[in-house]
Amino acid sequence: MSQRTPAVVGLYLRESGQWRRIAEFRLTADGHASFRVVDPVEGLVARVWYHQGVDIIGEERTVRPEDSPAFLRALLQPFGFRDYRFRDDTHSGRHSANMPPRNGHAPERHDIAPAATDSDCERRPARPAAWRSLDADIIRF
């Protein structure tokens, strides 16, 4: 895991061969980790990491958002997910959506719908039961 602390980490989902940003984690000005959902449904997976923390690969410990710099660094571990990627977007510019992932991480897309707030996600009607469970923060792994 890198010791440099990223200010912004994007979470991307691969769909139809293209990477799409679905959520972001950010180090706020006061040094706390926050997250924001970009895609109101697919981005809810970010809530799991935000509320449950991130397990450090090869160690028996979990880093929680309260440990803000370490939490953002932990998101950049090589998890080996096929369709999800975290990327340090601290100094990200405009990239092509068809561009292959850089260092295993996805390029940023700027042509997606505006970000939904956490409360927007909870008002969405007819959500699958699994997502409602995430909204209620009752799923534990």
Side-chain angles (χ1 to χ4, degrees):
M1 202 167 41
S2 168
Q3 291 306 312
R4 189 183 75 72
T5 300
V8 180
V9 175
L11 175 59
Y12 295 82
L13 172 67
R14 181 172 39 192
E15 292 179 322
S16 303
Q18 297 201 11
W19 291 96
R20 182 169 60 87
R21 189 175 191 175
I22 60 173
E24 79 173 20
F25 297 84
R26 182 175 293 271
L27 193 60
T28 63
D30 60 357
H32 293 94
S34 67
F35 90 97
R36 133 184 119 91
V37 174
V38 176
D39 179 295
V41 175
E42 297 295 344
L44 288 176
V45 69
R47 181 181 293 200
V48 173
W49 279 296
Y50 189 75
H51 289 289
Q52 303 284 327
V54 177
D55 292 331
I56 303 298
I57 296 172
E59 298 179 22
E60 293 198 21
R61 69 183 179 103
T62 300
V63 179
R64 310 252 324 139
E66 295 81 29
D67 304 319
S68 300
F71 176 74
L72 289 172
R73 286 191 301 267
L75 291 170
L76 296 175
Q77 296 176 96
F79 289 106
F81 299 134
R82 185 174 151 231
D83 294 321
Y84 291 95
R85 294 286 188 267
F86 287 100
R87 189 182 89 173
D88 181 350
D89 286 342
T90 302
H91 302 290
S92 172
R94 272 181 105 61
H95 301 284
S96 166
N98 295 320
M99 188 174 160
R102 182 176 60 176
N103 297 328
H105 297 286
E108 183 173 2
R109 282 189 56 184
H110 295 275
D111 59 343
I112 56 178
T117 64
D118 208 24
S119 60
D120 290 339
C121 296
E122 293 170 10
R123 287 193 300 257
R124 197 173 168 97
R127 294 168 54 75
W131 293 120
R132 288 192 307 270
S133 296
L134 282 173
D135 289 341
D137 295 327
I138 58 173
I139 292 181
R140 300 289 181 240
F141 298 110

